[in-house]
Every structure is written in C-alpha cells, then in structure tokens.
Amino acid sequence: MKRLLIVHHTPSPHCQAMFEAVVSGATDPEIEGVEVARRAALSLSPTDVLEADGYVLGTPANLGYMSGGLKHGLDVIYYPCLDSTRGRPFGAYFHGNEGTEGAEKGVTSITTGLGWVKAAEYVVVSGKPSKDDLEACWELGATIAAQLMETSLG
C-alpha cells in the first residue's frame, strides 16, 4: 500500500475548502492501494514524511510567502528526510489575496533541495475559490494519488 501525505495549513475557510477538495480527489473510490494521511503543517514530523511515498503541500500566501506553519513543518523535516525522500512526487496548492509568487518560489526551493519531483502543476487561487478552482484542487489530489497507485501496480 502506498501512502500519500497531505500537509496543510488551513487558517481560513478558503484554505479549508481547497484542502477538502484535495482530500476528496485523493480518496476517490477509483484510486486503489493508496492510503491518504493528513497532517497539519505545525504537527509535521520526519516520521510522517519518511513513511509517505508522495506529498501534497497546501498553504496560504501570507505577506507574499508560504505560511509560517508550512515553513516550520518543512524546516523540521528537511535534514532528517534529505537523503531518504529524493525522487518522490509532490504537488502543491496556494491561496492568496495578493500574489503567491513568493510562496510558490519558497516551496519550489525547498522541494528542489529535498529532491522531490513536481508531479502536477501548482494550483493557485486568489480570493474565494470558484467551482473551477475547487475542481483543480480535486484534480491535484487525484493526480498525485493516481501516480502512486500506478507505481504500486507496476
């Protein structure tokens, strides 16, 4: 059984809606052989990351950067997971009211350092998530989970 870890910081109703859409996509009944774990960024541990086969990261863009919660979680796991998680797939979603470029750049820098492979385009939402935005979040969760399913079958 493969494990997808969704690491999130959801301080607002908009982030919560996006998180729930990602979880819904990742847990679609057509995806078999993939366990989905959810972890709040502030409680993330190296064990959580080492036990997972792929990741989805979710964060608001606060003052142009990823949330302090996600940054803290990634700082905690960075060195303990550095050599053991290379090549694992990940995706990310961002919510911002004014620009997410800094948050995207920060996540890209850290995941590049970890050697994770971007397996889906980032989902970026500004303001209240539309139906299309939530569908994109659903697709993100489903895409990463389906990739893990494929590797477990092959």
Side-chain angles (χ1 to χ4, degrees):
M1 171 95 48
K2 295 287 183 166
R3 176 180 265 212
L4 172 62
L5 177 62
I6 302 172
V7 179
H8 63 98
H9 188 208
T10 54
S12 72
H14 297 326
C15 289
Q16 183 68 31
M18 294 172 70
F19 167 70
E20 290 172 6
V22 169
V23 170
S24 179
T27 58
D28 185 274
E30 291 187 27
I31 297 171
E32 299 175 350
V34 178
E35 174 189 10
V36 177
R38 306 152 183 89
R39 200 66 75 236
L42 285 171
S43 67
L44 187 63
S45 74
T47 301
D48 295 326
V49 174
L50 291 168
E51 290 178 347
D53 302 290
Y55 316 96
V56 175
L57 307 174
T59 183
N62 295 329
L63 303 172
Y65 197 65
M66 77 179 88
S67 70
L70 184 60
K71 177 68 167 78
H72 171 77
L74 292 173
D75 283 348
V76 166
I77 65 93
Y78 190 86
Y79 286 109
C81 298
L82 185 58
D83 294 324
S84 301
T85 60
R86 293 193 176 280
R88 293 184 185 173
F90 86 97
Y93 63 94
F94 302 87
H95 179 269
N97 291 318
E98 296 179 25
T100 60
E101 298 83 9
E104 293 174 60
K105 183 178 179 185
V107 166
T108 298
S109 295
I110 293 167
T111 54
T112 297
L114 286 164
W116 294 358
V117 178
K118 185 177 175 183
E121 289 304 311
Y122 292 156
V123 176
V124 179
V125 176
S126 183
K128 182 179 180 183
S130 68
K131 183 179 177 191
D132 287 346
D133 293 331
L134 294 176
E135 186 173 302
C137 289
W138 189 96
E139 287 289 336
L140 174 66
T143 296
I144 305 298
Q147 287 180 22
L148 293 176
M149 181 179 76
E150 300 271 326
T151 62
S152 71
L153 298 176

